[in-house]
Structures are given as C-alpha cells and as structure tokens.
Amino acid sequence: MNTLDIFPLIEPDPDDPAYRLVTFVSEEPDCDGVLALLHTVTDKDRHAGDLTPHLMRRRNGRWELTHRLRADHRASYQLHPFHGPTPGTTRADWLHVLDHARPDPHDTEPRLPARDGRHPSSVLSLPEAPAQPYARRRDGVPRGRTVSHTVAGRRVDVHLPAGHGPGPYPVAVLLDGEMWGQVLSVGDTLDNLTADGAIPPTVALLVHTMGPGRPEDLSCNPGFVDLLADRLLPWAAREFGATDDPRRTVIAGQSAGGLTAAFAAYRRPERFGNALSQSGSFWWPDETEFDEGSEWLTRRFAAEPGRAARFYLEVGLQEWMLLTQNRHLRDVLTARGYELEYREFNGGHDYACWRGGLADGLAHLLGSPAGMVSTDSHTSEPSGA
C-alpha cells in the first residue's frame, strides 16, 4: 500500500455531488473475511438477516468495501476480521461480533470510547456532516470539576462549572450519566460551552441509569420521574445551588432516555421546563404490552392540554425504527402549540452523533443572550434521506 494513502478513502460520487463513495480497507492477513460495521446502517441489514452488503472483498492483497453515502453522513464504525463462516445475525451472534470488533487502524479522527470492556470505535464524518465544535477537550478552557454522590439510592456524578459558587445555577439532568461522564467526558463539552458563552455556568447531574433497572426506570415511569423531581433536584439545590426554576432546568436523554426526558416534561413540567430528546423511543410500548397500542406518550400529548414546557427533539435519518415516531411527536407538539426545536441528522443511533446534538440542544435550551445560539423557537424542516 502507498504510505500516502488515507483510509477510509472518500471520493466524489460521479453521478451525484450530494453523495460520496467511501472505501474502507483492512490489511488483516490471517482471516477468512472481514465484516465492516457502520453504525445503524449495518444494524438494519442485520435485522433483515443479511450481512452480505457489509462483507469486505479481497482485492489487490487487501480487504475492501465501498459504501455510497450522502455527504453529510456521520457514523461510528468498526472492523471485524473473522475465521470460519460469516457471522450470523441472531442477537447472540451479534453480541459476539460487538465484543470483538475493533477500530479501523487507518482512522484519522479521535476514536469514540466504549464501555463494558469493548473496543473503541472509529468515527466517519463526511464533509457536510454538522460541525461538533464542543465535543473535544480544548486547551486553555477553564475546567469544572466532577464529584460523585449517591442520592435516594442512585449514583449521580455532578459536574460543577469552573469557579462554582453559591448559585443559583441552571441545571441539566443527563440520563445514562455513567456513559456521558465516565466514558465520553461530557464535562469537557460543558466547559467548552460555558467558555464560549453558549450556555451560562450550569450544574449537570449525571444520573446512572444503565444498570439492570434501566427498562423499568426509562419507560414513562412516574415513580422514577418523581424521584428526580422531588429528591434529586431539591438535593442539588441545597448542595450545589441548582435552580428551582423549571425554565432553567433541562432533562436530557437518548433512546429510552429520550422518551423519559419528554415524559418528565409531560408529568412534571413545574420542575422540568425543558426536555432534550435524542432518538427518543417514542414507539413505546409495544402494541402487545398494553391494549392501548404503541406511542402512548405521543397520544397523551395529543389528548391533553398543553404544558409549560419546551422541547428539543432530534433523530437520525438512518433510524428506520424511530424516524416515523419522532416525526409524529413533532407534529403533535407543534399542533398543540409547544415551543419546539426539531432536527434530523444524517446518522444513526450513535453517540458519535449524539455528543454533538447534546451540545446543540443544551445551547438552544439554556443559551444566554451572550451565547452563540438563539433560544427563539422554530421547527426545522426535515431533510431528505
């Protein structure tokens, strides 16, 4: 291989300037095949029972695979060399693949860390993907600090802004806090946002929700939301000067956490005046669980009077299992007169996308007049797939 080659190789699509041809390469010498895992794109075909489009081909002494992707696509990805037959598509087979897949040795962007002992992922950001100016640690930015506590039996990591004093401070409740804090270092993002004036100094409560109780906590559970509203927020006010003003309080989550963030604004708008939902699981529950059918929360918003709450919703164009339901909630909230910012990004169910969207959402909902992001409400038009 020419040492000047950089992979994945990104080339214009000669048939459409809105697309790129992206060629992934592996030089694994001793294997029977290599599977390229492009987040959510590969998952869709795995769900359909066919991984063939993601098997690299042997060419010129190396493994290669070319995808045609729109020029604003962003995704984490990994490569999985394997021996023997092609990996299967059952859940057990897929978990084995995820446990062993590795980042691309040719990648040039900083890698996306993982948890549970898995390898980090490489990140593909095509030229027109949305900028993520706050995601990486910067030199010269005043640093906040993070302290760990247990509140009502729950682990909570609290990120305090640089120069933290008596307050009151805006407060951001981040669900799946162990991922955002311990793995993704969201404190750097918060410090960057604050340093740029995109948000005022803010107390962030990183609530651990990725344990065995996650399916119960993050499924429109009134008890869990009441615990956050009646135990966590008052505790943060006493200990760290967090505000009790719902207009300066954000709850944020992804997937089932996104569902829960919206539910918190529905159930307790006097405490959670801002909901930031990324790729929210608004299909919940499965039609077999309740006689009422799916999209329970969306139907509640449609049937009941509006609440004093603002929303920031985003979803990926590749999220075939969530896109329709997020658009439905957007339409219902708009019809009911809610203040709403809605965005669609060209990516999947992926922290590589969410870490940028989280920063944008916090800036939109908490942004001060001196900030770079206006808090004026508008609904973005959905972009094409």
Side-chain angles (χ1 to χ4, degrees):
M1 183 183 74
N2 186 334
T3 57
L4 297 179
D5 289 343
I6 297 177
F7 295 103
L9 178 64
I10 301 171
E11 301 174 290
D13 182 342
D15 298 321
D16 190 337
Y19 284 79
R20 299 291 186 271
L21 302 179
V22 181
T23 300
F24 300 91
V25 169
S26 172
E27 296 165 307
E28 187 71 27
D30 183 25
C31 64
D32 296 315
V34 180
L35 180 66
L37 287 71
L38 188 64
H39 206 301
T40 305
V41 175
T42 304
D43 301 75
K44 183 176 183 179
D45 288 326
R46 197 273 298 184
H47 276 275
D50 183 13
L51 290 173
T52 304
H54 306 280
L55 292 173
M56 303 180 84
R57 272 59 172 180
R58 193 77 173 164
R59 295 191 185 99
N60 302 318
R62 64 192 186 196
W63 301 94
E64 297 183 2
L65 177 67
T66 299
H67 278 299
R68 180 177 181 267
L69 302 170
R70 212 172 70 176
D72 58 352
H73 199 116
R74 175 177 281 117
S76 60
Y77 72 97
Q78 294 177 308
L79 304 177
H80 176 57
F82 60 88
H83 299 272
T86 301
T89 58
T90 67
R91 177 172 173 78
D93 290 335
W94 194 242
L95 290 175
H96 177 81
V97 168
L98 296 179
D99 286 341
H100 293 86
R102 295 177 178 271
D104 182 352
H106 299 112
D107 59 11
T108 57
E109 289 198 35
R111 291 172 175 173
L112 184 73
R115 65 189 298 267
D116 296 331
R118 287 179 173 166
H119 299 289
S121 296
S122 301
V123 177
L124 172 71
S125 296
L126 292 186
E128 296 177 19
Q132 294 186 342
Y134 302 108
R136 299 177 186 173
R137 188 178 182 91
R138 298 180 189 167
D139 293 333
V141 169
R143 301 286 170 210
R145 62 188 179 94
T146 301
V147 293
S148 296
H149 291 269
T150 299
V151 183
R154 307 279 175 152
R155 168 76 179 271
V156 180
D157 300 326
V158 183
H159 185 77
L160 302 172
H164 177 262
Y169 289 92
V171 59
V173 178
L174 307 187
L175 305 175
D176 293 342
E178 60 268 57
M179 184 68 184
W180 284 110
Q182 298 172 358
V183 180
L184 297 176
S185 303
V186 74
D188 292 336
T189 296
L190 294 164
D191 293 342
N192 293 339
L193 285 163
T194 304
D196 281 5
I199 64 172
T202 297
V203 170
L205 309 176
L206 283 59
V207 184
H208 289 219
T209 52
M210 301 187 83
R214 177 185 173 83
E216 180 178 357
D217 286 342
L218 304 188
S219 56
C220 295
N221 182 338
F224 178 69
V225 168
D226 289 348
L227 181 148
L228 298 178
D230 299 330
R231 301 287 297 279
L232 179 65
L233 290 181
W235 170 81
R238 292 191 306 269
E239 296 293 324
F240 303 111
T243 185
D244 61 2
D245 183 351
R247 297 170 300 177
R248 302 175 69 212
T249 302
V250 175
I251 181 168
Q254 300 72 38
S255 194
L259 170 73
T260 301
F263 176 67
Y266 165 83
R267 177 171 174 80
R268 299 296 300 273
E270 83 287 358
R271 296 304 275 126
F272 298 106
N274 299 277
L276 197 172
S277 171
Q278 298 178 272
S279 306
S281 298
F282 296 117
W283 54 264
W284 183 90
D286 288 329
E287 293 184 10
T288 56
E289 293 186 42
F290 292 156
D291 292 338
E292 296 182 74
S294 62
E295 296 188 74
W296 177 87
L297 182 58
T298 300
R299 289 184 284 105
R300 296 284 74 73
F301 276 117
E304 299 181 15
R307 289 147 167 81
R310 303 166 65 219
F311 293 84
Y312 183 102
L313 307 181
E314 71 166 16
V315 65
L317 291 169
Q318 306 303 322
E319 299 188 90
W320 78 101
M321 299 177 73
L322 296 174
L323 184 57
T324 298
Q325 292 86 348
N326 274 263
R327 288 174 173 174
H328 187 198
L329 178 61
R330 172 203 62 192
D331 293 344
V332 165
L333 293 177
T334 300
R336 299 299 291 165
Y338 283 96
E339 191 173 342
L340 168 68
E341 172 77 3
Y342 177 83
R343 299 183 184 182
E344 294 178 354
F345 57 88
N346 193 12
H349 211 66
D350 192 344
Y351 282 99
C353 301
W354 290 339
R355 60 185 177 181
L358 178 68
D360 291 344
L362 291 174
H364 180 82
L365 294 170
L366 292 177
S368 63
M372 298 169 57
V373 180
S374 170
T375 57
D376 291 342
S377 172
H378 68 279
T379 301
S380 300
E381 291 296 324
S383 50

